[in-house]
Amino acid sequence: MSTGYAGTSQLERVCDAFTPQSYSQAVSCADKDEWVKSIDNEFDAMLDNKVFVEMDWNEKPSAAREIGTGFVFKVKGDSENKVVKRKSRLVAKGWNM
């Protein structure tokens, strides 16, 4: 099933919806309200599941290290190629010891 996009099937492409590659793209694109809601939902879920806790940087333990993070964004679609959901995932970046 060809879409006119090299190497992209109809199922991989969701109605030509823009998928940001960075946080700055997500909060400045035409669908920024939906992406911001998705980002907020991800933070709320992580706080609810106690993945991390918010803390004052001045009160961090001396052995604690900051871990770099970034977002991965994905547009989810239905069988008719319509946008169903925008998903944001906060992921840890690689680090060295």
Side-chain angles (χ1 to χ4, degrees):
M1 163 180 354
S2 177
T3 62
Y5 296 94
T8 305
S9 73
Q10 186 80 15
L11 297 175
E12 292 172 334
R13 186 177 56 88
V14 180
C15 68
D16 293 324
F18 174 71
T19 303
Q21 299 300 308
S22 67
Y23 175 83
S24 60
Q25 284 183 352
V27 297
S28 63
C29 70
D31 298 325
K32 67 181 175 187
D33 293 336
E34 288 87 1
W35 286 115
V36 168
K37 187 189 321 181
S38 174
I39 291 166
D40 289 344
N41 289 342
E42 174 70 356
F43 272 120
D44 290 343
M46 292 185 107
L47 288 171
D48 290 346
N49 292 319
K50 296 180 174 54
V51 173
F52 62 84
V53 294
E54 294 180 283
M55 60 186 288
D56 184 353
W57 183 252
N58 296 321
E59 296 175 8
K60 78 173 181 75
S62 60
R65 293 190 299 181
E66 180 180 347
I67 298 174
T69 59
F71 276 99
V72 175
F73 300 99
K74 180 131 181 139
V75 176
K76 299 287 188 170
D78 63 11
S79 61
E80 295 179 1
N81 239 9
K82 294 181 183 171
V83 174
V84 174
K85 186 176 188 178
R86 288 172 175 82
K87 292 186 78 164
S88 304
R89 291 291 175 248
L90 184 65
V91 297
K93 291 184 179 180
W95 53 280
N96 297 324
M97 292 185 81

